[in-house]
Amino acid sequence: IATRAHAGKAMCPRCRADVLRNEPDWKTWSKDEPCACACGWATTWGEYHRTYQSRQLYGGNAYPMFRAFIDRWPQARTPRDKMLAIDWLIHACHEDALKRWARPAACNLIEGRMTEMIPFLDDLAYGPRSTPGIREQRREWDEKPQLQRWRQWRAGETTTPWGEET
């Protein structure tokens, strides 16, 4: 709901209908612009934005991963299928966390601070009970030069690469 609202399509809290912005270009939006539904509910887009602002509800880069999980969950009939779907989502969040210098979706999915989440996911993926060959793939990945900031943070030489306090 927050992701759609951020893209200019709010959901009326009274009747659940779509409420569209007048102007499709987000750069020209005004917080004072009316956000009104045909059912009579009304506010401004600025007030609507404050309902999800600073709550980390906006899907951002994680939205496609969560959308894919929601789409595949109904097909997961057995406990094994469900565990594989959950494993896929956690893996996708872990992979996303390693690619971007932003707050990883895993922090919301599993609930934890970034400084806790990355080591937790690393141990889950590469720990002693992980799939054979995975640790070797991790070593190859760790040697990539674009991960210099990551390695410095992991070694305790800098604050987190995302700017979050430890």
Side-chain angles (χ1 to χ4, degrees):
I1 294 169
T3 301
R4 290 181 67 213
H6 206 74
K9 188 185 281 188
M11 184 179 72
C12 173
R14 186 182 294 164
C15 72
R16 302 182 62 83
D18 286 339
V19 180
L20 303 177
R21 281 197 181 265
N22 294 330
E23 176 61 48
D25 183 3
W26 67 271
K27 295 174 189 170
T28 63
W29 292 347
S30 165
K31 290 184 178 188
D32 296 330
E33 180 184 334
C35 177
C37 182
C39 76
W41 172 86
T43 189
T44 65
W45 278 94
E47 286 298 317
Y48 194 91
H49 180 249
R50 277 191 277 287
T51 66
Y52 64 87
Q53 186 177 23
S54 301
R55 295 184 184 185
Q56 297 164 343
L57 298 174
Y58 171 68
N61 296 325
Y63 185 78
M65 292 181 288
F66 288 122
R67 184 76 254 164
F69 176 79
I70 289 167
D71 291 344
R72 58 173 34 169
W73 186 254
Q75 284 76 45
R77 304 252 187 250
T78 67
R80 180 182 187 279
D81 291 343
K82 291 177 181 183
M83 184 56 77
L84 287 172
I86 293 166
D87 181 66
W88 175 87
L89 179 59
I90 291 172
H91 178 74
C93 286
H94 186 214
E95 184 176 299
D96 180 65
L98 299 175
K99 283 193 286 187
R100 306 174 198 280
W101 301 122
R103 187 175 192 276
C107 294
N108 288 49
L109 178 66
I110 301 172
E111 295 185 11
R113 295 177 57 93
M114 221 176 311
T115 52
E116 301 163 338
M117 202 52 47
I118 302 302
F120 169 76
L121 290 171
D122 279 351
D123 187 53
L124 191 62
Y126 309 112
R129 297 178 63 177
S130 66
T131 305
I134 294 292
R135 281 188 246 158
E136 291 74 20
Q137 286 179 354
R138 172 58 189 253
R139 278 192 285 278
E140 289 174 23
W141 185 87
D142 273 337
E143 292 170 6
K144 293 181 179 184
Q146 61 266 42
L147 298 175
Q148 182 63 28
R149 286 181 19 195
W150 178 259
R151 284 192 288 275
Q152 288 172 334
W153 174 71
R154 291 293 298 256
E157 297 169 11
T158 65
T159 59
T160 67
W162 310 277
E164 180 180 308
E165 294 298 319
T166 55

